[in-house]
Amino acid sequence: EAGVAQSPRYKIIEKRQSVAFWCNPISGHATLYWYQQILGQGPKLLIQFQNNGVVDDSQLPKDRFSAERLKGVDSTLKIQPAKLEDSAVYLCASSPGNTIYFGEGSWLTVV
Amino acid sequence: AQSVTQLDSQVPVFEEAPVELRCNYSSSVSVYLFWYVQYPNQGLQLLLKYLSGSTLVKGINGFEAEFNKSQTSFHLRKPSVHISDTAEYFCAVIPSGGYQKVTFGTGTKLQVIP
């Protein structure tokens, strides 16, 4: 079974530029998550989708971050404009109901 | 609401020695319990999970964990660690009903010393 796919794996951008990350969840998983993990910390939930509806985006900085999940499958997370403090790994995860599976993450460095 | 406490931020242990990583949780509803491992520069990998049934669960790489409902704990153990076990370990809980909102602990860094 294919796992959660994410791209790009690594990205370096200058502050105030924009970046987009893509996630393809495991087939059939209704729930999709985006997490932000800053070096040395645990994952922090940015947004949770159930199919293509948003369940929780309370910790998403909506002035600069946006996410969508078209047709309840793939998802993109966008940051515009990026700040230095956005340097982190962005983890996508999906779940069929009671277990969450993570992708390898997208490493973002903002300089 | 749920909370997860991993009291030990770092655990150094000599190679081939046993190790226990502690996890305590609080919740007003029943939960599922998980341990994830994160190797350097990688995502989180599911190590093991407790959904129901036997309270002793075995996972990958020789790890096991025991669910103790009275003590609200889910400690992770391995009888003999290897250098390759050096990683960060996260305990997590999900409510058994409703939307699958995950609560993570702050993580424990296991450092295996040769």
Side-chain angles (χ1 to χ4, degrees):
Chain A
E1 180 181 79
V4 177
Q6 289 188 245
S7 68
R9 287 295 314 280
Y10 304 96
K11 191 76 176 178
I12 301 174
I13 62 173
E14 295 182 349
K15 58 183 179 184
R16 291 187 290 275
Q17 286 188 323
S18 63
V19 63
F21 300 114
W22 172 83
C23 173
N24 180 234
I26 295 172
S27 178
H29 285 194
T31 309
L32 186 147
Y33 310 79
W34 282 103
Y35 286 87
Q36 179 193 59
Q37 187 179 22
I38 293 172
L39 187 65
Q41 299 181 19
K44 169 191 162 185
L45 179 67
L46 292 175
I47 190 166
Q48 177 179 345
F49 293 95
Q50 184 75 15
N51 295 309
N52 60 349
V54 175
V55 172
D56 185 350
D57 64 356
S58 57
Q59 298 192 85
L60 186 73
K62 298 180 185 63
D63 58 333
R64 298 184 301 105
F65 286 65
S66 64
E68 61 180 5
R69 188 181 186 194
L70 299 175
K71 301 181 181 179
V73 182
D74 292 7
S75 177
T76 56
L77 175 70
K78 296 179 182 178
I79 307 173
Q80 182 179 15
K83 292 185 175 181
L84 296 177
E85 58 261 36
D86 298 331
S87 294
V89 58
Y90 291 86
L91 297 164
C92 181
S94 69
S95 171
N98 59 22
T99 304
I100 295 179
Y101 299 91
F102 286 83
E104 288 296 312
S106 292
W107 264 251
L108 174 65
T109 301
V110 183
V111 298
Chain B
Q2 295 78 43
S3 69
V4 178
T5 302
Q6 291 182 247
L7 288 172
D8 305 306
S9 60
Q10 294 191 57
V11 173
V13 62
F14 286 104
E15 192 174 15
E16 298 184 6
V19 69
E20 179 179 81
L21 306 184
R22 297 180 293 170
C23 173
N24 288 89
Y25 71 94
S26 68
S27 177
S28 56
V29 299
S30 59
V31 295
Y32 300 133
L33 296 141
F34 304 84
W35 277 99
Y36 289 87
V37 59
Q38 187 174 34
Y39 298 104
N41 300 319
Q42 295 188 25
L44 274 71
Q45 181 182 0
L46 181 65
L47 202 54
L48 49 76
K49 62 182 177 182
Y50 172 80
L51 303 181
S52 65
S54 173
T55 57
L56 182 64
V57 292
K58 295 188 183 297
I60 61 172
N61 302 338
F63 283 92
E64 64 180 30
E66 185 157 20
F67 169 55
N68 188 318
K69 189 173 182 179
S70 62
Q71 296 185 7
T72 60
S73 67
F74 191 54
H75 300 333
L76 181 70
R77 297 190 291 259
K78 186 169 183 179
S80 175
V81 295
H82 303 289
I83 293 290
S84 58
D85 294 322
T86 295
E88 188 151 22
Y89 293 79
F90 292 94
C91 182
V93 300
I94 300 176
S96 59
Y99 292 116
Q100 302 89 35
K101 184 174 175 65
V102 190
T103 302
F104 283 94
T106 51
T108 298
K109 291 182 181 177
L110 175 62
Q111 178 68 45
V112 180
I113 304 164

